[in-house]
């Protein structure tokens, strides 16, 4: 087979083009830090990277959900902690006033403090997190209690009275979810209207009742109303106040109310322990998600990131081959008649 100068020139140009293309590709990889930029570069590796990106994105969403859940639980725990402090102070005052050695002035001062504690309880019942009420189920744009201690909403039931589940569930992992919010009725309860003589005798309360109707009275607040009246606020003249309870100093009733306060305190501690357990679980889940994110990110990096030292070495080798091709091409192509005519 006869090899002509034209054939040699054509092959030389093709080889130079391949070398330049190889150098261009290596230059792109060095500049971008990625082994491939388009599916055609490495179809299998690209498919694997897309799957890994999906996994990382999913884990990031779970982490965002988890942080929101943790923040919500922290707000709930803070509110429960303050409720516990209020109950502790109310019990101290009740025990102090029940010993029979205090003057009328002392009991009225204690009643005034109890009244302030009650107002703070109502404020805590309407605690918000990022503008959303934390104790009102799905009705986060509304408050839980009115100033008189009655419920401002139907909680755990719809307008027709049918029971509904108003517990918010956060997805914090694959097939892993957690109930985050706490219905205020579990803490503040509701007065049992079937109790006899509700103006004088403290009605029993359902501290863990889930569903309440609007305008029902909170058992929690009702205990404080009875305690205030039993301490004879406003002189203890025996009149019936706006809460429907006789305003009269009653040492025996104060003593009995200490038991009610203890029950409320025990329930608040139980609920706080529940919130604490959920918080601990979220912390463990957070560590697992961080580990998963690190694992996926590491595999993704191994799949598509370049080794800078290796890519520079390959580029230098390709550059040397290209320069050698130019040099050899100049010597291989024979001089033509034009060269002799110069």
């Amino acid at each position: 087979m006869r090899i002509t100068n034209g054939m040699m020139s054509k092959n030389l140009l093709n080889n130079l083009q391949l070398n330049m293309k190889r150098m261009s590709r290596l230059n792109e990889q060095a500049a971008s830090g990625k082994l491939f930029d388009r599916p055609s570069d490495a179809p299998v590796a690209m498919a694997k990277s897309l799957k890994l990106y999906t996994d990382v994105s999913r884990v990031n969403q779970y982490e965002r959900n988890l942080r929101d859940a943790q923040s919500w639980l922290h707000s709930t725990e803070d509110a429960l902690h303050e409720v516990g402090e209020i109950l502790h102070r109310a019990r101290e005052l009740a025990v102090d006033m029940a010993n029979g050695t205090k003057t009328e002035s002392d009991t009225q001062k204690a009643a005034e403090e109890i009244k302030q504690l009650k107002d703070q309880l109502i404020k805590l019942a309407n605690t918000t997190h990022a503008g959303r009420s934390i104790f009102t189920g799905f009705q986060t744009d509304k408050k839980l209690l009115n100033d008189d201690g009655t419920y401002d909403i139907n909680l755990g039931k719809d307008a027709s009275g049918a029971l509904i589940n108003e517990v918010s569930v956060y997805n914090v992992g694959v097939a892993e979810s957690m109930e985050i919010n706490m219905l205020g009725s579990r803490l503040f309860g509701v007065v049992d209207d079937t109790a006899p003589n509700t103006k004088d005798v403290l009605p029993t309360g359902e501290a863990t009742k889930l569903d309440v109707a609007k305008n029902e009275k909170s058992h929690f607040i009702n205990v404080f109303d009875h305690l205030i009246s039993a301490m004879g606020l406003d002189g203890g003249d025996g009149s019936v106040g706006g809460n429907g309870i006789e305003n009269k100093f009653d040492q025996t009733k104060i003593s009995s109310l200490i038991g009610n306060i203890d029950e409320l305190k025990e329930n608040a501690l139980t609920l706080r322990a529940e919130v604490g357990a959920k918080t601990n679980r979220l912390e463990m889940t957070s560590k697992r998600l961080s580990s998963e994110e690190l694992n996926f990110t590491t595999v993704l990096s191994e799949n598509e990131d370049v080794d800078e030292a290796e890519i520079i070495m390959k580029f230098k080798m390709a550059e040397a081959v290209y320069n050698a091709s130019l040099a050899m091409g100049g010597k291989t192509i024979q001089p033509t008649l034009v060269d002799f005519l110069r």
Side-chain angles (χ1 to χ4, degrees), residues 90-103:
R91 190 182 193 283
E92 285 183 342
L93 291 171
V95 171
D96 195 24
M97 295 301 108
N99 62 21
T101 62
K102 299 298 180 180
T103 65

Side-chain angles (χ1 to χ4, degrees), residues 33 36 46 55 57 65 94 98 117 126 145-146 152 156 178 181 193 198 216-217 249 274-275 326 328:
F36 45 83
M46 176 64 81
D55 292 336
S57 178
N65 293 348
L117 293 177
N126 299 324
L145 296 180
N146 297 310
D152 187 56
M178 183 180 295
N181 67 333
D193 291 329
T198 56
E216 281 190 302
K217 183 68 176 289
F249 179 75
E274 179 183 316
V275 172
L326 288 176
M328 292 300 295

Side-chain angles (χ1 to χ4, degrees), residues 220-235:
F220 207 126
I221 302 303
N222 195 51
V223 170
F224 275 71
D225 281 341
H226 277 271
L227 185 58
I228 292 169
S229 297
M231 289 183 179
L233 185 63
D234 298 328

Side-chain angles (χ1 to χ4, degrees), residues 131-190:
R132 298 175 294 171
S133 296
I134 65 175
F135 291 123
T136 55
F138 295 157
Q139 305 170 73
T140 56
D141 59 333
K142 299 179 180 178
K143 63 181 181 179
L144 181 69
L145 296 180
N146 297 310
D147 293 340
D148 60 356
T150 58
Y151 283 91
D152 187 56
I153 57 173
N154 292 316
L155 188 61
K157 59 176 66 176
D158 58 20
S160 65
L163 297 181
I164 57 175
N165 184 7
E166 294 196 58
V167 177
S168 298
V169 178
Y170 278 64
N171 291 322
V172 293
V174 178
E176 182 178 0
S177 59
M178 183 180 295
E179 296 180 353
I180 298 301
N181 67 333
M182 177 184 297
L183 297 185
S185 53
R186 294 186 62 194
L187 176 62
F188 294 96
V190 63

